[in-house]
Every structure is written in C-alpha cells, then in structure tokens.
C-alpha cells in the first residue's frame, strides 16, 4: 500500500509515453495495453492512485469540513496569526461561501477520486486478464467509488452521478435520494465479490486500507442511520442488520487499549479497524500534530519542528470528557503539563514555557477568551492566550516527524467496530428491535458499556439519545463524524454559547440557517458546467 503511489507514477509515465506516439517502432516497455494489467502486482499498481488520492485530503481538508464546522474543533487566530483569510472562522461560524478553499478543494478531491475510479474500470474492462480477476478488481474499484460518492453526497447533497470515462457530456445534479439509491445499489452488487476480514496475518495486511465486506456493511449502516436526512425515510432496522453483519465476523473485536488504535505504529494489527486511511512519512496527508499540537511541548515529546499552536477543541465539547477513570480523557492536553512516560501516561516532571517564562509550568486551559479586537482572535501571549484551548493528542505525536513535511504516520480510521456499536445502540433507541449476537443481548446500554469498560470509564446505568450523542463525542472525537451526527440530531445549526467563547464579542455570529447542513456547489464548477444547479441558501 505505501509504495503504491510511486509504482503508479512510473507506470503512468510509461503508458502515457506509449499512447502519445504513433511512430511504428518496437515497444520495449514491460507494460503495454495488450499485457497490462494481468498479475496481482499489476493490479496493485493500477489501483494505487485511488488510495493515494484518498489519503491526500482526507485527514486535513475533508476532516476540516466535517469537524471544524462543529463544536469539536476550532482554529482561532492568535493576534491575527493563523487566520489565513478567515477560512477557519468561516467554517466554524457556518459563513462559508461557494468560493471557500475547502468547498472547492474537497469537491475536486472527491470527484477526482470518482474520475480515477471510472478510468481504472475502463482499463480493467479492456485488459487481457481473466474474467474472475476483472470482476474482483472492478468490485474493489466500485466500492471505493461508492465511498467517494458518499462523502460528496453527505457534504454537498444533490451531486452528479458519474460512471463514464471519459466524460462526454457535462453532468447534472441528481436528487440526493437518487444518489443514495445508486450508492446502496453499487455496494450491494459488489458485496459478494469482496473479501471478508481474515485473522491477523499476511492476508489481513494485504486487505488493510482496501474495501472488504465489513467496509460495505459499515458504510451501509452509516447510510441507513442517516437515511432520514438523506431521503426523508428512516431505516433503523436495516442499520441494526448491517451492524450485525459486521459483528458476525469475529475477526473484528475491541482492542484492549484505546490509545493503541491511534498510535503512529497503528495499522493492520488493530483488531477493530474496519477501514482506515494509511499514512506514513512518504504518504502525505496526516498533519494533526502540525496543526493541533501545542508547540512548546514538542521537545518534551521527542521532536523539535516548527508547528502551529492554534487548533483546539471548544470548552463545550471538552466538558463531555467528565467520566471518572476514562482513558479517552487522556487524548487531550489540558491543565498543567508533564513529560510523557512513553506509554500513554505522564511522569511527575513538569514542562516549562520557554524563556523568559522558563520557570513557569505550561498550563493549557479550556477557556477561549475572544479579545474583540480581531475576528475570532484570542491574542498571542505565550502563557495566556496561546495556552487557551485544549489540544488533541488522539493521533499521538509521531517522534519521526520532520520539519520538511511535518507528517504523521498515524493511520486514520474511517470505520471501526466502536462506531458499529454506537450506531446500533442509536438505531435501537430510535425504534429498531434489539438483537442478540452469539448469546450476547445487544441493548443500547450493554453496547455503550462495552466501550466504557475498554476505556476503564465508570459504567453507565442508563442511556438515552442525548447521552448517546455525548458517548459518540467521547469515543469518536476527531474521527470526522461530528457534523454528520449533529445534523442527524437536528443540532448542527445550534449556536455556540457565548460564555464558552469567553463572553466577548467580535461582531461574528453563527449562521443558523438550516440550509448550512449542505455545502454549496463550488463557484469553479458552476462556471465550467452550466448544468449544475446551486444548493438552496447560496
């Protein structure tokens, strides 16, 4: 997986050179249209661009669209620094426009991925390989195309359905419900041809980061849980059925340590991962440490590179991490700071601010106190305003991070078993009938307590929908599902309370119009394709 991009680039050059010349000379390349792709290595190389495109924007621009538009993440200015034209406050206050850089970039990323899938399907259809190999590889590509289209439908709503390569006519928007039906149909059609997760070993490593039956079940569960939003018709019992289908494979089970799921060394050995986006120092895209760590702690954690000090969570969101003993609370940097012990805990050795405050212990506080002097600005004092805002170390800082790239090696999960438990619990609370798995009664309370038990948190004695939303916040923070959850709960346009933001005013107000549940069709697309129609409210 992690060498795929480079192999694909080489093959792309070879094939483009061949196709661009009409000279009648012998072809000396190993790879030509008549013999590519055939082998497993050929197919791995061919499909690699799908995954390199996915990793390129999933953990930064796409993640920002899903989490920085909520109470879960905020990137405030610090005396004007880190404002970047206001793009982060526009996300946070729902004041984005159709020319916002993430609105444009994520659309191009998603439909670029879809176009790549369509191109690869056309290559497979014309390849000399066996019908069986063609079918299994096409199923993998179609599953990835469905995932890309799901991201686009969730963000933009009425989007085009594009399956041709090359595209000969400019596409039109399709109703969101029709896009939903297409994705569902595609996933069901490829399901029999995809592998099931095997036990940890070479086969599982080869499957890691690629579609499996489990990924399809998880994506369908997510679609069915949000079906009321996407189509107007709820499908909670189908949500439970898809979750049951994931759980039927006993190779998925909760890992013993919550922290291990997100370490820089995570990967195929994580038992509850259903689908993840792989990252390392050669695969760009994961920069959580660059944007979300506290710069003055870098040396204490074993590295020394230039980092942002800006991105944090809001006090309102952090207040949910209030359960005694909960390991998930340790994924945040809050309060007086001490040297880490290398095992997810801390020593008793304090970390101090740099000179001239070198005798003062670093203390990170949840409060975000707006100055009122500049938009969404906290000021820039080292020991006060820079230290405001609890930082996430869920994707634990990678000691191999270097100044040139500032990349993390932490793979980022898209679907994991913990989310399956919580989706099933919510569907049951919303009216679906509970089920039993291997003699284990699957009630909302037992499902939630499986996760609390793993996190060493105090067990719940009861659970309702509000409590479950808070549990999703604790378990799935910074995993790019918060916007999706708040929309389903009807809370996405709920205004952030002023006391949480320090009580100061800077004349910025959140746009609470429900049309903000969808992002606009980008300005660049409307200019080049008159067949596209803008979403309401823009």
């Amino acid at each position: 997986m992690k060498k795929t991009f480079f192999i694909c680039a080489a093959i792309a050059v070879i094939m483009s050179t061949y196709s661009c010349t009409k000279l009648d000379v012998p072809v000396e390349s190993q790879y030509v249209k008549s013999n590519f792709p055939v082998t497993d290595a050929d197919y791995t190389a061919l499909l690699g661009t799908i995954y390199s495109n996915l990793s390129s924007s999933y953990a930064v621009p796409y993640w920002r669209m899903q989490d920085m538009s909520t109470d879960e993440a905020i990137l405030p200015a610090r005396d004007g620094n880190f404002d970047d034209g206001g793009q982060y406050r526009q996300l946070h206050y729902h004041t984005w426009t159709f020319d916002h850089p993430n609105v444009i970039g994520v659309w191009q990323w998603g439909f670029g991925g879809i176009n790549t899938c369509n191109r690869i399907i056309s290559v497979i259809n014309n390849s000399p390989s066996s019908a069986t190999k063609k079918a299994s590889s096409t199923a993998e590509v179609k599953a990835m195309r469905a995932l890309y289209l799901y991201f686009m439908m969730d963000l933009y709503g009425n989007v085009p359905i594009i399956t041709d390569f090359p595209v000969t006519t400019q596409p039109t928007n399709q109703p969101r419900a029709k896009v939903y039906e297409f994705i569902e149909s595609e996933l069901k059609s490829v399901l029999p041809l995809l592998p099931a997760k095997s036990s940890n070993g070479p086969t599982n490593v080869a499957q890691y980061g690629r579609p499996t039956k489990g990924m399809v079940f998880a994506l369908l569960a997510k679609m069915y849980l949000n079906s009321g939003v996407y189509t107007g018709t709820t499908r909670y019992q189908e949500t439970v059925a898809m979750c049951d289908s994931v759980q039927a494979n006993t190779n998925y089970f909760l890992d013993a340590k919550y922290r291990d799921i997100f370490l820089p060394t995570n990967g195929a050995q994580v038992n509850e991962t259903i689908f993840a986006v792989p990252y390392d120092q050669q695969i760009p895209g994961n920069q959580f440490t660059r944007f979300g760590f506290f710069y003055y702690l870098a040396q204490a954690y074993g590295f020394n590179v230039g980092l942002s000090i800006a991105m944090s969570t809001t006090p309102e969101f952090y207040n949910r991490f209030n359960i005694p003993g909960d390991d998930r609370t340790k994924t945040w940097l809050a309060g007086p700071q001490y040297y880490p012990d290398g095992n997810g805990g801390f020593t008793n050795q304090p970390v101090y601010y740099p000179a001239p405050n070198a005798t003062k212990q670093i203390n990170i506080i949840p409060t975000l106190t707006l100055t009122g002097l500049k938009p969404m600005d906290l000021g820039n004092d080292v020991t006060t305003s820079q230290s405001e805002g609890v930082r996430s170390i869920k994707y634990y800082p990678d000691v191999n991070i270097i100044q040139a790239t500032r990349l993390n090696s932490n793979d980022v999960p898209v679907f994991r078993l913990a989310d399956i438990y919580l989706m099933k619990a919510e569907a049951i609370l919303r009216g679906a009938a509970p089920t039993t798995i291997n003699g284990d009664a699957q009630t909302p309370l037992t499902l939630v307590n499986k996760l609390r038990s793993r996190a060493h948190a105090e067990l719940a004695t009861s659970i309702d929908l509000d409590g479950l939303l808070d549990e999703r916040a604790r378990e799935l923070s910074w995993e790019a599902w918060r916007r999706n959850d708040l929309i389903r709960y009807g809370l996405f346009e709920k205004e952030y309370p002023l006391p949480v933001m320090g009580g100061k005013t800077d004349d910025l107000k959140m746009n609470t119009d429900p049309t903000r549940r969808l992002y606009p069709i980008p300005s660049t697309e409307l200019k080049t394709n008159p067949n596209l129609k803008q979403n309401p409210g823009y």
Side-chain angles (χ1 to χ4, degrees), residues 63 65-73 222 314 316-318 320 466 468-474 476-489 491-492:
W63 180 90
M65 298 271 275
Q66 295 288 13
D67 279 4
M68 283 183 61
S69 59
T70 74
D71 59 347
E72 189 167 278
K222 190 69 70 174
T314 65
E316 179 191 26
F317 188 80
Y318 179 66
R320 293 175 171 84
D466 289 342
L468 190 72
L469 182 61
D470 287 345
E471 200 65 36
R472 288 188 64 83
R474 285 184 282 267
L476 302 170
S477 65
W478 286 39
E479 293 185 45
W481 290 117
R482 183 64 173 170
R483 170 185 165 275
N484 182 279
D485 292 343
L486 292 181
I487 290 173
R488 186 172 65 255
Y489 270 76
L491 297 173
F492 183 63

Side-chain angles (χ1 to χ4, degrees), residues 199-214:
S199 59
N200 281 332
T203 301
N204 184 49
V205 171
Q207 294 172 351
Y208 182 72
R210 301 169 71 174
T212 60
K213 294 182 190 297

Side-chain angles (χ1 to χ4, degrees), residues 16 69 77 88 99 114 116 118 126 137 154 179 201 255 261 265 289 291 293 297 318 321 348 379 395 405 454 497-498:
S16 62
S69 59
Y88 311 126
D99 58 357
I114 290 169
T116 296
N118 291 336
N126 293 318
S137 297
D154 183 68
V179 181
D255 290 83
I261 306 167
T265 55
T289 296
F291 292 108
F293 193 60
L297 291 171
Y318 179 66
F321 289 79
N348 59 1
Y395 302 101
T405 59
R454 187 263 295 278
L498 279 177

Side-chain angles (χ1 to χ4, degrees), residues 2 12 97 177 182-183 193 204 242-243 256 319 338 350 470 515:
K2 303 199 176 192
T97 59
F182 174 80
I183 298 170
L193 298 171
N204 184 49
M242 291 301 100
C243 293
N319 285 343
Y338 297 86
D470 287 345
T515 58

Side-chain angles (χ1 to χ4, degrees), residues 39-40 93 97 113 134 139 177 243 342 379 381 383 426 434 466 495 499 511:
T39 67
D40 288 346
Y93 283 113
T97 59
K134 285 184 179 183
C243 293
D381 183 88
T383 62
E426 183 180 336
D466 289 342
E495 193 164 11
N511 187 337

Side-chain angles (χ1 to χ4, degrees), residues 293-311:
F293 193 60
F294 191 67
Y295 171 71
Y296 302 113
L297 291 171
Q299 285 186 312
Y301 280 73
F303 57 91
N304 186 20
V305 300
L307 302 170
S308 167
I309 59 166
M311 190 165 68

